[in-house]
């Protein structure tokens, strides 16, 4: 099996998925720098990492107190982008799903990262070709998309643009395997990759049913679980993902989707019901 030859990894953004990507990478033996915009965000990140250490100990086969603590020891923290990227072989970006924000971040990153550094976006719905012109290195840029709960749902979708160097693509596929993921090469650009091409329309359909007054969220979930044998219904999935990312996707979509976003905002987000991490979303935790 080919090797990525990546040793130092930087993760931009320490939200739900960014922190998981950083911790999983550190758990797999890599030196990882976690970057976020300020000290408060990094303080929250440290709490998330401590929580992930406990989760891995409980849920990951073979995890020991030593291995979860060693992962924490491989993590360093920075709110200075130039410092965070200074010696990175790979930068994985996991910042909010807002195109202008990503473009602006890559312009700054491209100016400070070494020429060797490969950039990967974890964007769930945006095309890498919408971002590549802002990176300063379109041949060393692609998408590397993880699913939530990376230690359990361990797919990593790898999708380049027409400019991505095939050797870079191969290195990122190898890296995904090195951190315990199952790499899924995507042969051409598709918004949403494989997972979200299936998942987003499903979640949107669920919100249409609830927002339209056709059925309560818990009943939508109940019928899906009973009729398909699936372990989770769509609104349980929303709560795990957190409502902010789906809201951002809907709010930047069609007029019909924008109405669904308004419903999510008014009934849940504005009331602090953001999902599992907040203690309440469509369900209480």
């Amino acid at each position: 099996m080919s090797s990525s030859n990546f040793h130092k990894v930087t993760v931009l953004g320490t939200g739900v998925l960014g922190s998981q990507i950083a911790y999983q990478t550190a758990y797999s033996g890599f030196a990882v720098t976690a970057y976020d915009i300020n000290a408060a965000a990094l303080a929250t990140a440290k709490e998330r990492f401590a929580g992930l250490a406990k989760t891995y100990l409980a849920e990951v086969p073979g995890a020991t107190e030593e291995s979860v603590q060693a992962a924490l020891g491989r993590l360093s923290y920075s709110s200075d982008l130039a410092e965070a990227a200074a010696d990175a072989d790979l930068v994985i970006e996991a910042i909010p799903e807002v195109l202008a924000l990503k473009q602006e971040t890559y312009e700054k990153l491209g100016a400070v990262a070494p020429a060797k550094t490969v950039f990967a976006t974890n964007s769930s719905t945006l095309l890498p070709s919408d971002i590549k012109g802002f990176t300063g290195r379109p041949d060393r840029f692609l998408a590397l998309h993880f699913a939530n709960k990376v230690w359990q749902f361990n797919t990593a979708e790898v999708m380049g643009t027409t400019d991505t160097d095939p050797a870079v693509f191969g290195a990122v596929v190898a890296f995904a395997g090195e951190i315990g993921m199952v790499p899924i090469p995507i042969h051409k650009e598709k918004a949403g990759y494989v997972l979200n091409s299936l998942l987003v329309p499903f979640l949107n359909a669920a919100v249409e049913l609830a927002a339209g007054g056709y059925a309560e969220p818990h009943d939508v979930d109940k019928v899906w679980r009973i009729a398909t044998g699936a372990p989770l219904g769509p609104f349980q999935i929303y709560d795990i993902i957190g409502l902010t990312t789906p809201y951002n996707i809907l709010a930047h979509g069609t007029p019909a989707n924008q109405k669904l976003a308004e419903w999510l905002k008014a009934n849940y987000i504005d009331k602090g019901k953001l999902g599992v991490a907040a203690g309440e979303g469509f369900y209480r935790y």
Side-chain angles (χ1 to χ4, degrees):
M1 179 181 158
S2 61
S3 164
S4 69
N5 288 322
F6 298 149
H7 303 288
K8 293 185 176 179
V9 179
T10 296
V11 179
L12 305 188
T14 58
V16 172
L17 203 48
S19 57
Q20 290 180 21
I21 295 165
Y23 188 81
Q24 175 69 24
T25 303
Y27 185 77
S28 304
F30 290 81
V32 179
T33 300
Y35 166 86
D36 218 314
I37 53 174
N38 55 39
L42 291 175
T44 302
K46 287 176 186 176
E47 291 173 16
R48 280 207 169 101
F49 291 133
L52 284 167
K54 289 177 184 169
T55 299
Y56 274 53
L57 196 55
E59 297 184 15
V60 174
T64 64
E65 186 65 38
E66 290 76 18
S67 66
V68 302
Q69 291 300 325
L72 291 174
R74 293 187 196 101
L75 287 159
S76 55
Y77 303 86
S78 180
S79 57
D80 180 312
L81 189 61
E83 178 188 78
D87 196 29
D89 297 306
L90 173 67
V91 173
I92 302 170
E93 166 268 308
I95 68 173
E97 197 72 346
V98 178
L99 181 59
L101 179 63
K102 288 187 189 285
Q103 290 171 338
E104 179 190 341
T105 300
Y106 276 105
E107 280 190 318
K108 292 175 182 169
L109 178 64
V112 296
K116 67 171 183 175
T117 310
V118 171
F119 296 167
T121 179
N122 179 57
S123 172
S124 51
T125 56
L126 302 169
L127 288 174
S129 59
D130 292 336
I131 301 168
K132 68 181 182 183
F134 295 81
T135 64
R137 60 190 75 195
D139 59 321
R140 301 182 73 73
F141 170 72
L142 41 53
L144 174 62
H145 180 245
F146 297 80
N148 192 30
K149 290 196 172 181
V150 300
W151 64 92
Q152 183 180 1
F153 305 122
N154 62 331
T155 58
E157 298 174 290
V158 184
M159 183 169 76
T161 73
T162 52
D163 287 323
T164 305
D165 181 337
V168 167
F169 189 93
V172 172
V173 168
F175 168 76
E178 289 164 3
I179 62 166
M181 299 295 107
V182 178
I184 309 293
I186 313 270
H187 302 304
K188 55 184 181 179
E189 279 192 287
K190 170 88 172 86
Y193 315 73
V194 174
L195 176 60
N196 282 313
S197 293
L198 298 168
L199 183 61
V200 171
F202 168 64
L203 295 179
N204 288 357
V207 172
E208 282 176 30
L209 289 168
Y214 299 103
E216 294 298 324
H218 64 270
D219 285 327
V220 173
D221 281 356
K222 197 180 295 178
V223 76
W224 183 257
R225 291 196 309 266
I226 293 169
T228 68
L232 300 172
F235 291 102
Q236 291 172 287
I237 294 171
Y238 266 117
D239 277 357
I240 291 168
I241 295 168
L243 273 59
T244 308
T245 294
Y247 168 78
N248 282 334
I249 294 167
L250 287 167
H252 291 87
T254 63
N257 282 355
Q258 288 169 16
K259 282 188 177 174
L260 297 179
E262 287 168 20
W263 178 83
L264 266 184
K265 186 173 185 297
N267 291 283
Y268 295 91
I269 292 172
D270 286 349
K271 295 177 180 177
K273 298 177 180 179
L274 303 176
V276 173
E280 187 173 3
F282 292 100
Y283 297 86
R284 279 197 178 155
Y285 300 92

